[in-house]
Every structure is written in C-alpha cells, then in structure tokens.
Amino acid sequence: MNNKFYITTAIAYASRKPHFGNTYEVIMTDAIARFQRAMGRDVFFCTGTDEHGQKIENLANEAGITPQAYVDGVAGEIKGIWDRMNTSYDYFIRTTDAPHVDAVKKIFRRFYEQGDIYKGHYEGWYCTPCESFFTQTQVVDGKCPDCGRPVEQAQEEAYFFKMTKYVDRLVKHIEENPEFITPESRKKEMVNNFLNAGLQDLCVSRTSFRWGIPVDFDDKHVVYVWLDALTNYITALGYDPDKSYEEQSEHFRRYWPCDVHIIGKDILRFHTIYWPIFLMALELPLPRQVFGHPWFNFGADKMSKSRGNVIYADKLADHFGVDGVRYYALSEMPYNSDGSITYESVIARFNMDLVNNLGNLVKRTLDMNKKYFGSVVPVLGADEGTDAELRNACVEAYEGVVRNMNEYRIADALECIFTMLRRANKYIDETTPWTLAKDEAMRERLGTVLYNLLEAIRWGAVLLSPFIPETAEKIFAQLATDKRSFDTVGTTEKWGGMKTGDTTADSYVLFARVDEKKKLDELEAERLAQIEADKKPEKPEGCALIGIEDFMGVELRTAQVVACEKVPKAKKLLKMELDLGYEKRQVVSGIAAFYAPEDMIGKKVIVVANLKPAKLCGIESQGMILASGEEKVRVVFLAEDTPLGERVR
C-alpha cells in the first residue's frame, strides 16, 4: 500500500463567516486525516479559502472597502475557526496567494494555446451566490437549482472550455473506477443529470466584474472563479503548469494524485465533471476519489440567516467545548442523508455519550482504583467470563473503527467506540467492584476487574484520538500511560498496555452535565441576539435593468411647493402647486397620511417632469414627486439654496 495520503476539503468561500454545516466538513476531514496518520500513513491535509468572484466584489463594495481587505478579514476568521476546532491541516491555501495566482494565469494560457479554450459570447443565467452558470432548462422558476435563490440574466464576452472534447474519456473513467464518486447515489446523480443529459462547453471567464485573476493575454477578462478555485488542489503542492508531471517537484509527485476530496454534495458537479476534465487537459492523473457529504440542517430546515436558524461552531464551543462540538458533528451526520442539529439534540448527546458513557466511566474507574489500590495499576489475574466479553468488545470496536473509517462512515465508527464504552459500563455493573472490595479473599479478582477497566479506557482513548483528540490526551494523562498509538491496540494479544505497578493520576471531570432547561434558555437568548445583530435589509428584487439611454429619458427637475391642500374625500392625497422656475404646474401625491399641507409649503423637491398627465380623484396631476418607502413614505427634500428647474442626473 502506498504510504502517502493526500486529503482536501473544498476551500471555504470567503464571503461570510462559516456556519456549523460548513465547519462540519473540516472537522470530518480532520478526523480522517488524524486516523490515517494513526494508521501510519504520510498524510498531507490541505484546506483554505476561495477568495475571488462577483459576490465578494459586491460585498466589498457594500462594505466600502477593497475586495482584498474584505477577504483578508473573512479568511482570517475562517482560519481562526478551523484552528479553534483543533484541525490538523498541513497547508492553508488562499486563492489570493501569489504562487496560486501565477499558476492559474499559466494554466489558463496553456488551455488556450493547446486549443481547449476559445473566445465566444455568453448569454444565459447566472447565480451570483453560487458563482454558477445555468441553462434555461436547468433554472427552476427563475431560481438557482442548487441554492434556490434568484438567478440573473448574463450577457458578456467570455472564453469557453471545450468540455465536449473530454466527456467520453470522463465517462469511461467513471465506469472503470466505481469508487471515483461516492456515495453511489451521488455518482448516479452526476451521470444521469449532467453527463447523459449532454455536457455543454463551460464559460471560464467573466468581463462584467474585476475581482478575479486576470487573463494575462486579454485583460478585459478574469478567470471564472471555479476554474481558479479547483486548481488550488494542485497549486497547494507547488504545481508548475510549464512542466510535465514527470518534471514536477518531488513534493508534488509524492502527493498527487489526491486520495480523496471531501466536499459538500452541492458542489459535486464541479469536482466530478469540470475538475477531472481540467486535469485531463493538463495531462495529470485524476483524484482517486471524491466524497460528497450530506448537509447539516437546523431541525428539518436548511440553515439560513433569513430564517434565524444559523448555528456557528465557535459559538457552540463556548457552551459545550471544542470536543463537544466535534463529537456532535461527527456522530450525528449520516453517511448518505442529511444530518440534523437542534440545541435539544446537542444537549442530549452531550449528556448521554460524553458525560455518562465516557466521562463517568473514566472518573469512577480512576476513583475506585485510587480508593482500593492507592492509584497503583493492579495485577491482571485470571480471566472470568465477563472479562473476555469486555476484551472482545474492545477488539470489535477497533475493527469497526478501521473498517468504517476506510469508507468514511464517521458516525458508524464512533458508534463502534461508544458500544464498547457502554459495554465497559455494563462490566462495572456485572462485577460490582465495591462488593468485591468488602471481601479480602476477592482482592485479586478486584485487581483484575480494575485492570480490565483501565485497559478498556486506554483502548477507548486511542480509538477516540482522531475524533476528540483533546479529550483523548486528557484521558491518557489521567491514566499516566505512554501507550497511546493505534499499534498498541487491535488484537487480544495487545491487551495489557497498562503497566502493573505504575501510578495513575488523580481523576477530574471531563464533561460536566448540562442543565437542559437552563442551557436552552441561554442558547435561545444568544440566537435572538444574533438575529438582531445580523439584521440587514434584504436586497429587493427590483425591476429589470435599463440602459443609460433609458434613464436619460426620464426628466427629473427641481421644484418648490408654493401651495398645498388636501383633496376632498381622498384621505391619502395632497394637491400641490409646484414652481419649476420656468413654469408652474399641479401635482397630486399620495402622501397625506405622512405630511400635513403646511409641512410641504416652501419645501424644494424633485419632480418627474415628463410624466404623462393623469387624473387622480378627478384632479389632473402633471408629474410625480420623488419619495421613498411603502409603510412609511419619506419625500426627498432638497437644500434651500437649490435653484429651481435644474435637471437631476
């Protein structure tokens, strides 16, 4: 077996702080990376941030800062959360890093020079939040088929990649490599919905915004964000587009091809269709596997700020600790279907598994060993029936962890460990050490029981180390053992890692029980405060875009209200006489609920001067004054020194 193991997350989009569902991916990937290291593999774990695109340019403009300043802040926040979650990545790449930018420019040029890219004109639908192009048949009721948000019509000059040139080769690869796309249901989705439906050439540049890697031979264009982002998996290894695979650095050739890309199911198309085709064009080996994990929903709903149900991993860790968050994320997500997070379920799992099954087992075992043997590890004596059952449960747990982790069934692997821990707790109830301690003739048996418990706890800590590493280290410290690696457990012959005569440390509480009602009240208060802090007017759908010539066709003029009165039998209308300097005219406006006639007289306003006359309640209106709002109307007033009749632009 090749000793190396290259694993990646999808790089996080640096638009907003990642929520719990986004953070799950890096926790999951970290658990796999730690497990593979524990099994003796030379692991390279890469993660990072995707920092270009129209969405980021828009957000930076809204914030009044440069896109670079914007992504510097968000990327720092993302990296901080990854570090808070105790993830052991080997490299954190940013797509604004100079080596990556230079490599992407060369890759784009290479594609163009070898005939894989051609210039054309794009006309179709674009989802800015997903940075994705869609055809008319893919759009669902004017909305993105991936995220459900409105799409926009895009028309611009663009370069296209000849996907059709490589599609047959990709289909053949998928057929010949059944493990390339997992789980199986994801593969069927890609083949049936995209490849069998007919793959179109992909738009790989944009001209309608500037925040992207420029095409160095045509600077009107920036590289499409997905071509930019996907190549991070090779640029992170130092890929040089000017060299063949055999000429690449030793570091690159050691780790590429990637063993597994861990990604969310929503971006599977990019990783299993576009990315392999880009690699084929670069004459590089394809990744061995792409694993599309499900989503974490809040209850039954997708997490969304607009719904007020977003949970952040770092905030959750303030209440349950980092390992509490890691454990919940890894144990609660199914292999193939979406997971669900609620505060009630977090508390229930925390109390049941971490407090009861793990924490109490460790503490009461160490406390009994201190009470009965002065914290000295006792002698392992002859077996009785329950001893073998406990030992076999530990062996089965090891085998289950290895089997499930090699298939990325993380929750199943953890269940194997906690089945073993439950068996150890049952072993205490079966052997009743407190009863044995009352009979001096049973002292040897008492020692054997406590030895077996200490050893089972050691095995548990070893197996838990990829998942909740900080807790595992705390357990090892309390056991005072240096037998911490995976090669010290696994078979019945390896039972006996705890050294008789060694002294264990004093116990302490690993996880304190959470009062459900009190904690729910705290979390709900925090959630409501976050909603209030996140409140921001949503961008309205608005009207269709117009050209400058259309706007210039609207004649806006400055005017002064010289007379104003209510319209009889019309509660909402005021009749005003406006002086435009060069003429006077009558305008009727529906602002009576918000302004008294005396509030308007003498005020300077803006009027649509070339609006066709209309009759309101039988009174002719020769224009419209500008105002904002619906529930609360606010007239646009001008400074007192504004000249009358000026054109507003």
Side-chain angles (χ1 to χ4, degrees):
M1 179 177 71
N2 190 329
N3 189 49
K4 73 90 181 176
F5 188 81
Y6 180 29
I7 184 171
T8 73
T9 68
I11 51 177
Y13 197 48
S15 58
R16 300 286 191 195
K17 177 180 179 177
H19 59 59
F20 183 82
N22 305 135
T23 309
Y24 163 74
E25 183 174 298
V26 76
I27 295 173
M28 172 191 179
T29 307
D30 178 68
I32 297 169
R34 287 177 181 272
F35 169 77
Q36 291 294 339
R37 290 192 195 102
M39 297 302 288
R41 305 287 292 276
D42 172 18
V43 173
F44 192 80
F45 169 18
C46 184
T47 187
T49 44
D50 174 10
E51 302 184 11
H52 292 121
Q54 184 176 356
K55 182 177 181 179
I56 287 173
E57 182 175 274
N58 292 346
L59 289 168
N61 289 338
E62 289 176 16
I65 58 177
T66 66
Q68 186 64 58
Y70 185 89
V71 296
D72 284 348
V74 178
E77 187 171 36
I78 291 170
K79 190 173 186 293
I81 293 173
W82 281 197
D83 291 340
R84 176 84 190 277
M85 292 298 109
N86 198 11
T87 57
S88 59
Y89 55 83
D90 296 286
Y91 191 72
F92 189 98
I93 187 170
R94 296 180 58 184
T95 57
T96 53
D97 291 342
H100 173 82
V101 170
D102 292 343
V104 170
K105 289 179 180 178
K106 290 180 180 180
I107 288 170
F108 197 95
R109 177 182 283 274
R110 175 173 167 177
F111 285 161
Y112 181 74
E113 291 178 349
Q114 66 191 29
D116 289 315
I117 284 179
Y118 62 92
K119 185 184 279 190
H121 185 84
Y122 179 78
E123 184 171 348
W125 296 102
Y126 190 73
C127 175
T128 299
C130 294
E131 301 282 6
S132 302
F133 296 100
F134 295 102
T135 64
Q136 181 63 47
T137 56
Q138 291 172 323
V139 170
V140 181
D141 297 327
K143 295 181 180 178
C144 171
D146 288 342
C147 73
R149 286 171 282 199
V151 292
E152 299 173 350
Q153 189 73 23
Q155 296 180 351
E156 58 188 285
E157 181 182 273
Y159 285 94
F160 290 82
F161 190 99
K162 295 179 182 177
M163 291 281 146
T164 49
K165 178 178 175 181
Y166 296 93
V167 66
D168 290 343
R169 184 173 159 191
L170 175 60
V171 170
K172 185 172 184 288
H173 179 84
I174 293 172
E175 290 174 348
E176 293 178 351
N177 296 272
E179 298 301 312
F180 177 59
I181 305 173
T182 55
E184 179 71 19
S185 59
R186 309 273 190 261
K187 177 169 67 177
K188 291 179 180 177
E189 179 186 346
M190 290 302 104
V191 172
N192 295 335
N193 294 354
F194 293 97
L195 295 176
N196 290 347
L199 193 61
Q200 296 184 334
D201 289 347
L202 178 68
C203 180
V204 289
S205 77
R206 302 291 307 276
T207 55
S208 56
F209 63 92
R210 300 310 303 157
W211 182 240
I213 297 176
V215 175
D216 60 4
F217 57 86
D218 193 345
D219 61 8
K220 287 193 307 180
H221 293 255
V222 296
V223 177
Y224 175 43
V225 66
W226 273 105
L227 173 55
D228 166 11
L230 288 164
T231 54
N232 94 89
Y233 303 126
I234 52 177
T235 64
L237 297 175
Y239 174 68
D240 185 344
D242 294 331
K243 295 179 179 179
S244 67
Y245 178 74
E246 291 72 19
E247 296 171 323
Q248 297 295 325
S249 68
E250 181 181 348
H251 180 71
F252 182 87
R253 285 182 288 108
R254 173 158 186 77
Y255 290 107
W256 192 262
C258 181
D259 289 86
V260 62
H261 293 309
I262 303 294
I263 62 165
K265 64 179 183 178
D266 53 323
I267 54 173
L268 206 65
R269 175 173 87 257
F270 303 98
H271 285 79
T272 60
I273 297 177
Y274 304 152
W275 178 225
I277 285 177
F278 293 154
L279 289 168
M280 289 174 183
L282 292 172
E283 299 181 323
L284 291 175
L286 270 56
R288 292 196 169 90
Q289 193 168 67
V290 179
F291 183 88
H293 65 75
W295 289 338
F296 251 117
N297 295 324
F298 184 87
D301 297 324
K302 187 177 178 182
M303 286 190 200
S304 164
K305 276 193 175 183
S306 62
R307 291 176 176 154
N309 63 3
V310 174
I311 294 178
Y312 296 107
D314 57 334
K315 296 294 185 183
L316 207 60
D318 292 340
H319 295 275
F320 299 96
V322 170
D323 277 358
V325 173
R326 285 178 62 104
Y327 177 72
Y328 184 85
L330 296 171
S331 64
E332 197 69 20
M333 177 69 86
Y335 175 73
N336 198 20
S337 57
D338 288 348
S340 173
I341 179 171
T342 64
Y343 291 133
E344 290 85 353
S345 63
V346 173
I347 294 169
R349 266 209 182 268
F350 185 86
N351 283 339
M352 182 182 301
D353 290 352
L354 297 181
V355 176
N356 289 351
N357 291 329
L358 176 59
N360 285 352
L361 172 66
V362 173
K363 186 162 189 356
R364 65 176 177 161
T365 296
L366 285 165
D367 287 348
M368 285 189 292
N369 192 55
K370 181 177 182 179
K371 181 177 181 179
Y372 303 136
F373 291 94
S375 295
V376 175
V377 178
V379 175
L380 175 63
D383 257 8
E384 292 188 8
T386 53
D387 301 346
E389 289 177 17
L390 176 61
R391 190 165 56 246
N392 290 338
C394 292
V395 172
E396 289 171 6
Y398 172 86
E399 293 171 348
V401 167
V402 172
R403 180 177 63 254
N404 284 298
M405 287 302 290
N406 283 330
E407 297 177 359
Y408 312 131
R409 295 179 180 271
I410 316 294
D412 293 334
L414 273 169
E415 178 56 28
C416 291
I417 299 171
F418 275 81
T419 296
M420 178 199 81
L421 295 175
R422 286 190 288 270
R423 184 66 188 85
N425 279 301
K426 184 181 178 183
Y427 177 80
I428 294 177
D429 295 336
E430 291 170 337
T431 57
T432 59
W434 51 89
T435 302
L436 296 174
K438 295 176 182 178
D439 186 349
E440 187 61 31
M442 301 301 293
R443 186 163 180 78
E444 181 180 337
R445 175 62 188 154
L446 175 62
T448 297
V449 167
L450 287 173
Y451 184 95
N452 283 330
L453 284 169
L454 291 169
E455 180 69 354
I457 290 169
R458 185 185 73 83
W459 278 50
V462 170
L463 297 180
L464 285 169
S465 58
F467 310 100
I468 47 175
E470 188 177 298
T471 300
E473 286 301 314
K474 289 178 180 178
I475 296 172
F476 289 136
Q478 290 182 64
L479 292 176
T481 179
D482 59 356
K483 302 293 184 181
R484 305 180 176 196
S485 61
F486 263 61
D487 60 8
T488 67
V489 299
T491 63
T492 53
E493 289 75 22
K494 292 181 178 180
W495 190 262
M498 292 296 295
K499 187 177 178 182
T500 297
D502 281 358
T503 303
T504 58
D506 286 342
S507 70
Y508 56 87
V509 175
L510 291 173
F511 300 98
R513 176 169 295 281
V514 170
D515 182 307
E516 182 178 20
K517 185 181 184 308
K518 182 179 178 182
K519 185 59 69 177
L520 286 174
D521 288 343
E522 288 178 22
L523 290 165
E524 180 62 13
E526 190 175 281
R527 186 183 75 86
L528 294 174
Q530 186 66 52
I531 291 173
E532 198 63 31
D534 289 340
K535 273 186 179 176
K536 179 181 176 183
E538 290 190 10
K539 182 180 178 181
E541 291 189 14
C543 303
L545 296 176
I546 62 172
I548 186 65
E549 67 281 356
D550 297 312
F551 175 74
M552 294 305 294
V554 179
E555 186 181 357
L556 301 175
R557 296 282 178 180
T558 60
Q560 186 173 31
V561 182
V562 295
C564 182
E565 63 182 36
K566 289 186 176 182
V567 176
K569 299 182 180 180
K571 294 181 179 180
K572 296 182 179 180
L573 300 181
L574 291 181
K575 181 177 71 172
M576 291 172 281
E577 183 180 351
L578 303 183
D579 183 1
L580 282 77
Y582 56 85
E583 69 177 31
K584 292 183 179 179
R585 62 172 67 186
Q586 179 175 279
V587 170
V588 178
S589 180
I591 61 172
F594 308 99
Y595 295 92
E598 57 269 25
D599 295 333
M600 297 299 299
I601 296 173
K603 293 292 196 300
K604 290 185 176 179
V605 296
I606 299 173
V607 63
V608 182
N610 62 338
L611 193 64
K612 290 180 180 179
K615 283 195 174 182
L616 301 175
C617 290
I619 301 174
E620 186 175 65
S621 179
Q622 300 170 310
M624 177 186 294
I625 64 169
L626 295 195
S628 68
E630 295 177 1
E631 295 182 4
K632 170 69 175 176
V633 173
R634 300 171 184 83
V635 174
V636 178
F637 294 121
L638 301 174
E640 291 182 2
D641 61 351
T642 304
L644 300 182
E646 274 194 336
R647 181 78 186 267
V648 179
R649 298 179 186 275

